[in-house]
Amino acid sequence: MLRKLFPHPWLTLTLVLVWLALANAVSLGGIVMGLILGIAIPAITAAYWPDRPRIRAPLKIAEFILVVLYDIVKSNFIVARIVLFMPRSALRPAWVTVPLDLRQPEAITVLAGTITMTPGTVTADVSADGKALLVHCLHAPDPDGVAAEIKERYEARLKEIFA
């Protein structure tokens, strides 16, 4: 019964919170409307999620988000320093292939999005077999180090989160 009402409970919770944030006020009407959207949208779209991702460690999501936010702030300063003070001749842009241990499409999508959100890097492609990402780096004097850092900081945490 609960599975039919809440086919994607985390999505339901997220939709309710996003609705309340968009409404910019917490009221009974806002909560009810958020719950209506949070129940209706996942129920309507449940058929498009036949193999929904399994979250093994939901509390690890908070750790992952904090690591990503820290890296985004840190990368903003690094990119600003590169753009403002590094001579163009010293810049070492690179294409980096990151081999993947992740197999779930949702986890790979989160990893690709995380890389793209971090200033100075962008995920350009996923291999046809889903076993590697092609990442462009603004400045990567050590491309293998960049791939190792992505695997260590992001992919390892995502492997803990997704079953």
Side-chain angles (χ1 to χ4, degrees), residues 91-97 120 122 134-143 146:
L91 194 61
R92 300 285 177 251
W95 289 99
V96 178
T97 301
V122 63
L134 181 63
V135 176
H136 184 268
C137 301
L138 176 64
H139 180 65
D142 178 19
V146 171

Side-chain angles (χ1 to χ4, degrees), residues 38-153:
I39 292 170
I41 291 173
I44 292 168
T45 62
Y48 301 107
W49 298 48
D51 298 323
R52 70 185 189 136
R54 305 233 188 276
I55 305 295
R56 184 179 354 165
L59 295 179
K60 291 280 188 179
I61 295 172
E63 176 190 348
F64 180 76
I65 290 171
L66 290 175
V67 167
V68 170
L69 289 175
Y70 173 78
D71 286 351
I72 288 172
V73 171
K74 180 178 143 189
S75 295
N76 271 301
F77 286 108
I78 291 170
V79 168
R81 182 175 46 98
I82 289 169
V83 169
L84 295 174
F85 302 114
M86 184 178 281
R88 186 175 221 157
S89 61
L91 194 61
R92 300 285 177 251
W95 289 99
V96 178
T97 301
V98 180
L100 296 176
D101 297 325
L102 294 171
R103 291 294 167 249
Q104 300 89 345
E106 296 83 7
I108 294 170
T109 301
V110 171
L111 178 61
T114 300
I115 293 167
T116 299
M117 283 189 299
T118 307
T121 57
V122 63
T123 304
D125 198 11
V126 180
S127 65
D129 60 1
K131 294 185 179 180
L133 291 178
L134 181 63
V135 176
H136 184 268
C137 301
L138 176 64
H139 180 65
D142 178 19
D144 293 333
V146 171
E149 186 176 3
I150 288 171
K151 290 186 73 61
E152 176 188 324
R153 291 191 65 78

Side-chain angles (χ1 to χ4, degrees), residues 14-53:
T14 302
L15 288 169
V16 170
L17 294 176
V18 167
W19 179 258
L20 290 175
L22 288 172
N24 204 20
V26 177
S27 65
L28 181 60
I31 293 171
V32 169
M33 186 62 185
L35 283 171
I36 290 170
L37 291 173
I39 292 170
I41 291 173
I44 292 168
T45 62
Y48 301 107
W49 298 48
D51 298 323
R52 70 185 189 136

